[in-house]
Amino acid sequence: MEVKTVGVADRRSREREQRRKAIIKAAKRLVVKHGVEGMSMNQLAEATELNKATLYLYFSDKDDLIDAIVYEGLVLLEKEQQKSDGRRLSGLEKVLDLVSATFAFYKRHPVYFYTLNHQERRKATERVETPFAEKGNEVALRVFERMAGGVRGGIRDGSIRNGIEIDVFLVLLYAQMYGVT
């Protein structure tokens, strides 16, 4: 009888993905309970009933795990923001809609704000570019570009004054949003 190795490989891949998701889910619960700084890999091992060494098969370190949570949150935020894409809005209305969607998202899912906040506060010398951080940066750029598109549209349609420096405006807008959140 011939054994299908593809089936075994597929099953192992699915099991690995399910375990990775379970680790992230448990980590998010711990972050909500203890904060990012207060969550430890030892707590996570206990919560998932996995050996701590097993956790490191999925994530190289705590920052890699937090980057995975940030990435997951950014993907979900991007999906929320895409809802305004098909609506006929002035540029200013689009920017305001995106801001409102962002606030609403982080209000519903504070764990994503906590983890993003933690990663953003790290010094550049402390940051390690993990695969999840790189993927998160790509999504963050798309989120930023969606907002920039709204500003450019507003300048074109006259709902936002001409002559502003879009990148400077967006950095200030995000800083204000971050502070409010």
Side-chain angles (χ1 to χ4, degrees):
M1 174 181 241
E2 185 178 328
V3 177
K4 292 186 178 183
T5 56
V6 175
V8 171
D10 285 345
R11 180 181 52 82
R12 285 188 179 146
S13 178
R14 279 192 314 275
E15 288 171 352
R16 182 170 172 77
E17 182 61 18
Q18 287 171 345
R19 182 167 285 161
R20 188 186 70 75
K21 286 179 180 180
I23 293 168
I24 289 173
K25 185 176 181 180
K28 290 189 304 187
R29 282 193 308 268
L30 290 170
V31 166
V32 168
K33 185 174 182 180
H34 302 288
V36 176
E37 292 83 6
M39 183 206 76
S40 71
M41 295 301 269
N42 287 330
Q43 290 171 330
L44 185 57
E46 185 177 323
T48 57
E49 298 180 348
L50 296 171
N51 184 301
K52 189 174 168 183
T54 302
L55 297 176
Y56 291 109
L57 295 174
Y58 292 87
F59 302 97
S60 60
D61 58 18
K62 182 177 170 180
D63 277 335
D64 187 29
L65 172 62
I66 299 303
D67 284 338
I69 296 170
V70 169
Y71 170 68
E72 178 182 275
L74 287 169
V75 167
L76 293 172
L77 174 61
E78 182 179 36
K79 286 180 183 176
E80 284 293 312
Q81 289 187 341
Q82 286 171 344
K83 293 176 182 176
S84 73
D85 288 350
R87 298 174 54 205
R88 294 185 50 87
L89 301 170
S90 71
L92 178 60
E93 290 170 329
K94 180 166 180 112
V95 170
L96 294 174
D97 193 54
L98 292 170
V99 168
S100 294
T102 301
F103 280 131
F105 174 80
Y106 285 123
K107 185 176 182 180
R108 280 191 318 277
H109 308 286
V111 70
Y112 296 124
F113 180 75
Y114 300 154
T115 54
L116 178 66
N117 179 42
H118 171 78
Q119 297 305 64
E120 289 295 319
R121 287 183 310 150
R122 289 184 303 163
K123 297 175 187 170
T125 56
E126 296 173 348
R127 294 182 185 190
V128 176
E129 285 302 311
T130 67
F132 285 112
E134 290 175 17
K135 289 165 48 172
N137 289 340
E138 291 170 12
V139 178
L141 284 173
R142 291 194 304 269
V143 166
F144 193 83
E145 181 51 39
R146 177 171 275 105
M147 188 77 74
V151 174
R152 283 191 297 274
I155 292 169
R156 279 192 306 274
D157 69 26
S159 61
I160 296 176
R161 75 172 170 81
N162 195 8
I164 66 169
E165 293 183 44
I166 295 173
D167 288 342
V168 172
F169 170 77
L170 289 176
V171 167
L172 292 172
L173 176 63
Y174 275 106
Q176 289 298 315
M177 290 171 58
Y178 184 81
V180 170
T181 303

